[in-house]
Amino acid sequence: NAGVTQTPKFRVLKTGQSMTLLCAQDMNHEYMYWYRQDPGMGLRLIHYSVGEGTTAKGEVPDGYNVSRLKKQNFLLGLESAAPSQTSVYFCASSYPSREQFFGPGTRLTVL
Amino acid sequence: KQEVTQIPAALSVPEGENLVLNCSFTDSAIYNLQWFRQDPGKGLTSLLLIQSSQREQTSGRLNASLDKSSGRSTLYIAASQPGDSATYLCAALGHSGGGADGLTFGKGTHLIIQP
């Protein structure tokens, strides 16, 4: 089992560009999450999903959109990247109210 | 809003010592509390999960306790080794969203074990 995988691992964008981060899990988990990690701020929840076709906002959702068309995939989109979105992005998945498993992260730099 | 605090922010001890990392949370209505390890530039590795109905969990040299009433959890590391050097994160899963709120993280304890 690969667990939780994320693509890409690294990305550099210019301000205003768009991109999509892909998260995939092979554990048949219902819940999936996107977090961002910033120095001094810790990890914060961006969006989450409790099942295929459903998404909800977390603590810091502005500037991001998400979609969950398939149970195993959770996409995070940046429509118009800003330097404030420079961060490390982590995806996680779990069964309801159970242990969360994290992917290796995507390092994004917005110039 | 849940807030999670970890003390100390950094800790450096000689190899072989037993040590305790502390975590406190403001809202006791949690589903569970999870401890993670993060190595520099890497992802999060889950160490222990304590459900709200449990008092402690053990895995090898690690023992985590949970006291919901006081809003505290501790991670005990026995016989520390240089390979234990990492940042340790504590995270609480809130109760308000049916377990789907996502984890609220502390800022971590950066641990260095001196050979």
Side-chain angles (χ1 to χ4, degrees):
Chain A
N1 287 350
V4 179
T5 58
Q6 293 182 233
T7 54
K9 290 184 171 54
F10 303 92
R11 186 73 185 267
V12 177
L13 291 178
K14 294 181 179 178
T15 298
Q17 288 185 321
S18 63
M19 77 164 294
T20 300
L21 283 67
L22 171 64
C23 175
Q25 53 96 5
D26 61 2
M27 296 173 280
N28 202 35
H29 287 160
E30 287 90 346
Y31 290 7
M32 295 187 75
Y33 306 86
W34 277 107
Y35 297 87
R36 60 178 288 174
Q37 186 175 34
D38 303 290
M41 299 295 295
L43 280 103
R44 293 175 292 169
L45 182 67
I46 305 172
H47 284 281
Y48 63 93
S49 169
V50 299
E52 186 176 319
T54 70
T55 63
K57 295 180 180 180
E59 181 184 354
V60 288
D62 294 342
Y64 305 95
N65 57 77
V66 288
S67 64
R68 187 143 179 227
L69 300 180
K70 295 183 179 181
K71 185 177 184 179
Q72 64 268 33
N73 295 337
F74 195 27
L75 279 64
L76 178 71
L78 288 73
E79 291 187 347
S80 180
S84 61
Q85 294 178 304
T86 293
S87 187
V88 181
Y89 292 86
F90 289 102
C91 176
S93 70
S94 74
Y95 292 116
S97 309
R98 299 297 180 185
E99 185 178 13
Q100 290 193 19
F101 295 90
F102 280 71
T106 294
R107 291 186 174 274
L108 175 66
T109 301
V110 183
L111 302 176
Chain B
K1 177 185 173 185
Q2 178 75 272
E3 292 183 4
V4 177
T5 303
Q6 291 187 246
I7 294 173
L11 183 63
S12 180
V13 300
E15 179 178 4
E17 283 201 4
N18 303 324
L19 53 99
V20 175
L21 307 182
N22 296 294
C23 171
S24 63
F25 47 95
T26 55
D27 186 350
S28 62
I30 61 171
Y31 273 109
N32 60 50
L33 190 132
Q34 200 167 348
W35 282 92
F36 295 89
R37 168 187 173 136
Q38 185 174 31
D39 293 289
K42 303 295 184 181
L44 279 68
T45 300
S46 180
L47 297 173
L48 289 165
L49 173 77
I50 312 177
Q51 297 291 352
S52 61
S53 59
Q54 298 175 318
R55 296 284 292 182
E56 65 178 78
Q57 281 287 331
T58 297
S59 176
R61 294 183 293 108
L62 304 179
N63 175 277
S65 67
L66 176 64
D67 184 343
K68 275 183 55 178
S69 61
S70 66
R72 294 180 182 178
S73 177
T74 62
L75 179 67
Y76 176 82
I77 302 176
S80 59
Q81 303 170 359
D84 294 331
S85 298
T87 296
Y88 290 80
L89 298 167
C90 156
L93 184 64
H95 213 274
S96 61
D101 286 353
L103 291 166
T104 299
F105 282 84
K107 294 183 180 179
T109 294
H110 181 54
L111 177 63
I112 296 175
I113 308 298
Q114 306 156 9

